[in-house]
Amino acid sequence: MSSTIGDTVRLSVFGESHGEAIGCILSGLPAGEPLDREELLLQMSRRAPGRDKTATTRRESDQPDILSGLLEGRTTGAPLAMLIRNTSQRSGDYASLARLPRPGHADYTGHVRYHGFNDVRGGGHFSGRLTAPLVFAGAVCRQILKRRGVAVGGHIYAIADVADRPFDPVEVDAALLNQLAAVPFPLIDQEQEATMRERVEAARLDQDSVGGIVEVAACGLPAGLGSPMFDGIENKLSALFFGIPAVKGVEFGDGFGLASLRGSQANDPYACAGGRIVTLSNHNGGLLGGITNGMPLIARLAVKPTPSISQKQQTVDLVSGQEAELEIRGRHDPCIVPRAVPVAEAMLAFGLLDRMESERSWG
């Protein structure tokens, strides 16, 4: 079971939802980079459970304990190791799932892949709990990117059938991204929050869940970052985005919407502005041929509804081999979209820093 990714900056995640601890190791970071602990904690708090009615009631402080790689507030160049102790496990709620897999969850596929030895408590290593180390890693990378003039942020693009206003694809700026990256329920149009919360609450009362879409962006990127074919920015970021539990779709720019356009509509015309080449539109999301063109990089992630719902569902008994009925107990999110935003931002930040460090090392 490998949970390691990255070329020059590498991320390895370990732990289980109901184990002793979760954590990560970041290697390949440049030495001498100052890290602001308060900023790290802010990003961790945006993802942490138990702080909003749209989330699970499980409360975890998510206090990261940095074990190595940091001295007097600066990176040393050695691997940066971080540990978070789990403090609010209720493993008894998951006792039946070793034999009654949840529909829509990885209980069954994990059982087959690991011959029944996988940890099903709270989802084990498949759990959204493992996104806490992802946010930590991304928060570290975000601070380094900021000093290089790159800003990363995101917002709730949609929950159920309620949509926020999308990013202006040409005019995304650092001020907006930084503003969104400082709040737990990030929206461009704040008037949509009440309706989104109504959709989540209605699903919760029905013992159900809802999904949605996260939109993330980065501005300040140089043109020319990335490579064609298999080393493209889309390739690298997609692998990271799909590492987030519940993400089932990724698109850049207009993505699937481009399929219904003509070339004259989908192309982004070039122009000169302030001594640099820009595009007048940004249907391609700041990427062409797997390489950045200097415009804002924009991506959207489709997040499915949480599979752990309290309604009775049909499943199979893996011991008896018979069909069975499952009624899930425990603490689960009626909607994970708000908590997924900082995770998506984190993976974007990690992926971009890895590319920048890789291409710098290659010369």
Side-chain angles (χ1 to χ4, degrees):
M1 186 181 290
S2 174
S3 295
T4 299
I5 196 166
D7 295 317
T8 297
V9 181
R10 292 185 60 78
L11 171 64
S12 182
V13 177
F14 61 87
E16 295 85 26
S17 178
H18 285 206
E20 288 293 322
I22 55 177
C24 67
I25 299 173
L26 265 172
S27 59
L29 291 173
E33 294 284 353
L35 294 184
D36 184 331
R37 182 172 176 81
E38 292 306 312
E39 176 60 27
L40 294 176
L41 293 178
L42 170 62
Q43 296 306 319
M44 299 294 290
S45 70
R46 295 175 63 211
R47 190 224 68 93
R51 289 165 169 77
D52 192 279
K53 284 193 70 175
T54 61
T56 172
T57 57
R58 176 179 178 175
R59 289 195 67 88
E60 293 279 4
S61 64
D62 281 359
Q63 290 290 315
D65 185 5
I66 298 176
L67 307 177
S68 67
L70 195 68
L71 180 64
E72 297 179 350
R74 291 180 179 269
T75 57
T76 64
L80 184 70
M82 184 277 296
L83 187 76
I84 299 172
R85 295 285 178 185
N86 290 325
T87 60
S88 182
Q89 308 97 313
R90 283 187 359 200
S91 300
D93 292 335
Y94 297 86
S96 65
L97 300 184
R99 61 185 298 170
L100 300 175
R102 287 167 286 182
H105 205 284
D107 297 333
Y108 173 65
T109 53
H111 174 86
V112 174
R113 176 68 177 84
Y114 298 106
H115 313 291
F117 292 105
N118 56 300
D119 186 348
V120 300
R121 302 171 302 164
H125 197 71
F126 293 95
S127 171
R129 179 88 185 111
L130 274 295
T131 60
L134 301 186
V135 171
F136 172 85
V140 170
C141 296
R142 183 199 297 264
Q143 292 188 31
I144 299 173
L145 288 174
K146 186 175 182 179
R147 287 189 285 274
R148 299 183 182 181
V150 178
V152 171
H155 68 118
I156 302 167
Y157 185 85
I159 287 180
D161 61 338
V162 184
D164 187 17
R165 189 167 70 246
F167 283 126
D168 181 322
V170 177
E171 299 294 336
V172 179
D173 63 20
L176 174 60
L177 296 181
N178 292 333
Q179 174 187 332
L180 293 169
V183 295
F185 204 96
L187 291 170
I188 297 174
D189 182 359
Q190 296 294 330
E191 293 185 359
Q192 300 302 321
E193 180 173 352
T195 309
M196 287 182 175
R197 289 186 177 277
E198 288 173 4
R199 295 293 192 275
V200 177
E201 181 64 6
R204 187 185 71 83
L205 294 175
D206 287 339
Q207 298 180 303
D208 215 332
S209 62
V210 290
I213 301 172
V214 171
E215 185 176 51
V216 292
C219 66
L221 287 168
L225 187 67
S227 298
M229 295 192 72
F230 306 122
D231 272 339
I233 296 294
E234 296 103 323
N235 309 53
K236 299 295 185 178
L237 292 179
S238 293
L240 289 160
F241 290 148
F242 280 119
I244 304 170
V247 169
K248 298 299 289 185
V250 173
E251 66 177 4
F252 295 89
D254 288 349
F256 283 96
L258 291 170
S260 64
L261 302 180
R262 290 189 172 188
S264 56
Q265 299 169 307
N267 292 342
D268 298 312
Y270 291 108
C272 294
R276 58 187 289 258
I277 295 175
V278 299
T279 60
L280 300 179
S281 57
N282 194 14
H283 299 295
N284 291 280
L287 297 162
L288 292 167
I291 302 170
T292 58
N293 64 6
M295 297 298 289
L297 189 160
I298 298 176
R300 282 178 289 275
L301 289 66
V303 181
K304 72 177 184 179
T306 318
S308 295
I309 59 175
S310 300
Q311 290 185 19
K312 292 182 179 179
Q313 300 179 82
Q314 181 176 321
T315 185
V316 293
D317 188 318
L318 297 175
V319 176
S320 69
Q322 302 296 313
E323 292 182 357
E325 189 175 72
L326 172 65
E327 187 172 1
I328 298 173
R329 292 178 172 80
R331 301 161 294 177
H332 306 288
D333 299 75
C335 180
I336 61 173
V337 176
R339 296 175 65 205
V341 175
V343 187
E345 293 173 9
M347 292 296 86
L348 177 58
F350 173 82
L352 292 177
L353 182 63
D354 179 35
R355 283 292 84 208
M356 295 176 81
E357 287 297 298
S358 294
E359 297 188 16
R360 185 170 71 169
S361 66
W362 297 338

